[in-house]
Amino acid sequence: MSKRWLAALPLVVVALLFAVFATTATGSEKTATSGGIFRVGTASGIDSLNPYVAFNQDAYSTFEYIYPVLVQYNSKLKYAPFFAKSWKSSNGGKTWTFKTQPHAKWSDGKPLTAADAAWTINTDIKYQNGGAANEAGLIAHIKNATAPNATTLVIHYKQAAGNVLGQFQQFFILPKHVWAQHLGNKGAGLKTFANPAPVVGSGPFNLVKYTKNQITIFKPNTSYWGPKPKVQEFGLQQFSNDDAMVTALKAHDLDAIETVPATAIKTLRSSGFVVSKVPGLDQTDFIINSNPKKKHHRELLNLKVKEAFDHAIDRKKIVSVTFLGAAQPANSIIPATTGAWHNKNLKTVSFNLKLANQILDKLGYKKGSGGIRVAKGQKMSYNVIIPTDVQSIPPTFRILQNDFAKIGVQLKPQDLDSSAAFAKMTSPNNTYQGFDLAMWDWTALIDPDFMLSVVTCDQYGGWSDTGYCNKKYDKMYSQQQLTPNQNKRRQIVWKMQKYLYKQRPYLWLANDDSVTAISKNWVGFKNTPQGPFNELNISSLVNVHQK
């Protein structure tokens, strides 16, 4: 999912907030017999506890730990059991049967059965054009779901799908006895229900306390059917900037931070912290408003203009200066970390200012006053929306701004907090007329379906941040969803990446590594391409404990 919604928290309140851990746990950190109280800092945070409105990566990671999910990934990023013990397909791939965990319970003591899963699926189907719109992609092509008994879930598809397990790895099963009361008018209530803590869930942890933009506290769920967490308590603390978070770790107000800024890697290692670095699923991007109905600066829809911009990006410098080498140049909407899904035939676009200038010269966009080119009577001078909370963007923007000036294009930063930035980009009323250029990042999943979906026409007003809408592309997207043979599906996915490579709604910048740091007093904290607190599996926080 995307790393999008971030917010500020002054460092002066950190000590006060972490005092909460001492008062909510039984005993002290020194006398804890169940693995200690584990405190993690994040520059991301949880924007909402409601799966129908949440966008933030940490929110989806939270749902992975507090809600049942049919399948998860194992350490080799292959599908493994979770709430579903086993599964099989029949009827030519149009029927999928999952055998679920017996004797499972929700955190309020009510039974958790396959009927909860069937209800969640059917509810999302019914309201996919309303309150459940964010979940629409996950239940695409499903006719209905039934639960013939407490441990059997049967899902009927209209057509055989190729991404069934990938979709259900992201699908959070909700307690019917809670959510059925909050449907509202035609499902609109699904978006407005706050889902307050303590949340009724059924994962390895119970979410017991939540203060937005500040702190979230989890306690082990004693009724969980799987391996029990070893910690006494886990807390997630949100920070507004990297320096404050690193300072808190070095002061031992934190036990770990889930994303280490490149500038702090050496200093944390020298201070005795264990720093882990693995290839990540996060990619930064330069977004070009590609709405075909765009009214202003329509030259940005010209593929040759986009090509010129692409050649004006010095990705090696971005990797070197912004990430201090803890990243790789990016070239596709599907990062190389996903393995075989990434189209390895795509090459990183060359940094070539001479070629970029030649392309714009050939288009007849001559340089005017201040060396700024003029396209169709308008200066090629653009505001670039910058979310204030993504720490890698300001230094990256300065690199782009300097090089774009050399091709006669002026970039002006428009700093907005994340919520305002996304609202500006989709305005007015989800018509994508409110911006020209932007910068941000995406955190991909292993299965390519989600990332490929964000540039479909159906994502207007949803996940789309480019305004891109192309019926030819949408046809390919639907085709890959309905191709059960994974080798054939991969061919389509590669074709889609190549198509977007040329269409350029995104100019991909850097694929940054997942870097985390933890005190030497803790073990079992495993990094992944999405970081240790992730939506791939529950291994890291279940296994972490004090030495």
Side-chain angles (χ1 to χ4, degrees), residues 207-247:
L207 194 157
V208 298
K209 182 178 177 61
Y210 169 69
T211 304
K212 187 175 181 179
N213 302 334
Q214 295 184 13
I215 199 167
T216 308
I217 296 177
F218 304 80
K219 284 181 175 291
N221 179 4
T222 56
S223 64
Y224 176 58
W225 64 81
K228 303 296 191 296
K230 297 178 181 179
V231 292
Q232 180 182 355
E233 192 171 283
F234 159 62
L236 190 70
Q237 172 68 60
Q238 184 177 349
F239 288 81
S240 62
N241 64 76
D242 291 339
D243 290 340
M245 183 168 60
V246 171
T247 298

Side-chain angles (χ1 to χ4, degrees), residues 46 49 58-67 207 218 533:
I46 303 167
L49 297 181
D58 278 349
Y60 284 86
S61 298
T62 293
F63 300 148
E64 182 82 10
Y65 278 93
I66 66 173
Y67 283 124
L207 194 157
F218 304 80
F533 184 51

Side-chain angles (χ1 to χ4, degrees), residues 59 155 196 242 481:
I155 303 171
D242 291 339
Q481 278 196 319

Side-chain angles (χ1 to χ4, degrees), residues 181 243 386:
Q181 305 173 52
D243 290 340
I386 293 178

Side-chain angles (χ1 to χ4, degrees), residues 258-275:
E258 63 168 340
T259 303
V260 178
T263 53
I265 293 176
K266 288 185 178 180
T267 183
L268 287 178
R269 278 182 174 151
S270 64
S271 298
F273 293 94
V274 178
V275 178

Side-chain angles (χ1 to χ4, degrees), residues 1 169-170 281 338 443-448 450-451 530 535:
M1 294 295 177
Q169 188 275 325
Q170 308 166 51
L281 287 166
T338 61
T443 300
L445 299 168
I446 300 300
D447 188 276
F450 173 75
M451 283 309 304
Q530 272 191 358
E535 57 177 308

